[in-house]
Amino acid sequence: MPLANNDRSAAFYDEEIEEAYRRRPIPLLIKYKANIQTFFAATIPPLVTLALLLFVWQLLCMSPMSALPSPLRIWSEAKELIMHPFYEAGSQDIGLGWRVLISLKRVGVGFGLASVAGILLGAFVGQSQWATRGLDPIFQVLRTVPPLAWLPISLAAFRDSQPSAIFVIFITSIWPIIINTAVGIRNIPQDYRNVAAVLQLNHIEFFWKIMIPSAAPYIFTGLRIGVGLSWLAIVAAEMLTGGVGVGFFIWDAWNSSRLPDIFVALIYIGLTGFILDRFVAFIGNLATRGAQAN
């Protein structure tokens, strides 16, 4: 039955209203409501927990007889250190920001070398049964050696604190990279190997096109563990080798009885370690497209 003129007008009017409703500007609060809720759900709980911890810490250490400084005392005595992380007043008198960057430079060299060597060794061990039987027991023994136990050997070998610290980072961080890479190589599906055999890929092509993409989630798991160990190792090594890194700053502050400065340095170390872990995880998500190691 054809629509009457009034019915057609009403239908067109309804369509115009719907079109205008669809085109109307949406408030930002409504448009990004889900993102805002996710942001607050991720940030509010740790902020509340941090506030409670600081409050309890202040109550426990507010007495003048307390051996440890309270948060308010740390702020009052180390305010300049907190507010000016990149000041320079001499070769040894620099801000914590510069000290962290100096330590990060050492970590970058040592961890970079460990990443390349660890991935290559891990691929070799994971691909060869003979290599696994011969090298895996040695790796399992060496990886349990504490980082600082390598320092006297590195100092004796290199006769200098800079390469010695880099060697300690290298030898500390390489083991999880080797082990995780080897596990990832062993878990390559047999179908991938069959395809590589059909395509007659040589060893280099098989390494870049099959092994690395398939084992990438495991490799980046090892890299995340390794970068955390690298940051731990450099702070410990700098306490003994000296220099201008953040580790030596903590040791020097202890010798000078500047406990508030030590707490500030610990915060810098923790935040830097967290950023390093998040950075490697971000690169890993991009490289593996969100795939996780099983």
Side-chain angles (χ1 to χ4, degrees):
M1 179 178 178
L3 293 173
N5 290 334
N6 292 338
D7 294 338
R8 291 174 181 173
S9 299
F12 291 147
Y13 181 72
D14 291 341
E15 291 178 0
E16 291 177 358
I17 292 176
E18 291 178 1
E19 183 67 21
Y21 181 79
R22 284 194 297 268
R23 292 182 178 180
R24 84 191 195 287
I26 302 174
L28 292 178
L29 187 62
I30 298 176
K31 185 177 181 180
Y32 297 103
K33 181 179 179 181
N35 294 336
I36 294 173
Q37 290 177 342
T38 303
F39 173 78
F40 281 107
T43 56
I44 288 180
L47 289 178
V48 172
T49 303
L50 178 61
L52 290 175
L53 289 175
L54 291 175
F55 178 73
V56 174
W57 182 5
Q58 179 66 31
L59 290 179
L60 294 175
C61 300
M62 65 188 304
S63 172
M65 303 301 295
S66 175
L68 298 177
S70 65
L72 292 179
R73 180 185 163 193
I74 293 174
W75 172 255
S76 63
E77 296 186 13
K79 182 178 179 180
E80 292 298 322
L81 192 66
I82 298 172
M83 300 300 295
H84 303 286
F86 293 101
Y87 78 87
E88 290 186 67
S91 59
Q92 294 291 333
D93 189 9
I94 59 177
L96 268 176
W98 292 121
R99 295 180 183 274
V100 169
L101 291 178
I102 292 171
S103 298
L104 281 175
K105 181 180 178 181
R106 295 170 178 165
V107 168
V109 176
F111 178 69
L113 294 174
S115 300
V116 174
I119 291 173
L120 293 177
L121 277 173
F124 175 66
V125 172
Q127 187 68 10
S128 171
Q129 289 292 337
W130 287 103
T132 301
R133 295 170 184 172
L135 294 176
D136 187 67
I138 298 175
F139 293 159
Q140 296 297 335
V141 172
L142 292 179
R143 73 181 183 87
T144 61
V145 178
L148 290 183
W150 294 102
L151 190 57
I153 297 175
S154 62
L155 287 172
F158 297 106
R159 305 285 182 176
D160 187 30
S161 61
Q162 179 78 0
S164 298
I166 293 174
F167 174 78
V168 170
I169 295 168
F170 172 86
I171 203 68
T172 303
S173 60
I174 193 173
W175 309 120
I177 301 174
I178 292 175
I179 294 171
N180 280 275
T181 301
V183 172
I185 297 300
R186 294 192 197 104
N187 284 316
I188 294 177
Q190 186 60 40
D191 292 342
Y192 292 4
R193 299 180 183 273
N194 295 337
V195 170
V198 171
L199 297 177
Q200 297 182 349
L201 299 180
N202 58 40
H203 293 296
I204 297 177
E205 291 174 334
F206 181 73
F207 177 79
W208 285 111
K209 295 182 179 180
I210 303 295
M211 294 174 67
I212 294 299
S214 300
Y218 295 89
I219 292 173
F220 277 97
T221 299
L223 291 175
R224 287 184 65 182
I225 299 172
V227 76
L229 293 177
S230 297
W231 190 235
L232 294 175
I234 188 58
V235 172
E238 286 176 346
M239 288 184 177
L240 299 181
T241 58
V244 292
V246 67
F248 176 73
F249 174 83
I250 292 177
W251 189 248
D252 184 61
W254 164 253
N255 291 329
S256 303
S257 300
R258 302 195 312 269
L259 285 181
D261 290 1
I262 295 177
F263 279 95
V264 175
L266 291 179
I267 294 173
Y268 272 80
I269 292 171
L271 290 177
T272 303
F274 176 77
I275 293 172
L276 287 174
D277 178 78
R278 293 292 92 192
F279 177 74
V280 176
F282 174 74
I283 299 299
N285 286 331
L286 291 180
T288 63
R289 298 179 181 179
Q292 300 293 327
N294 295 322

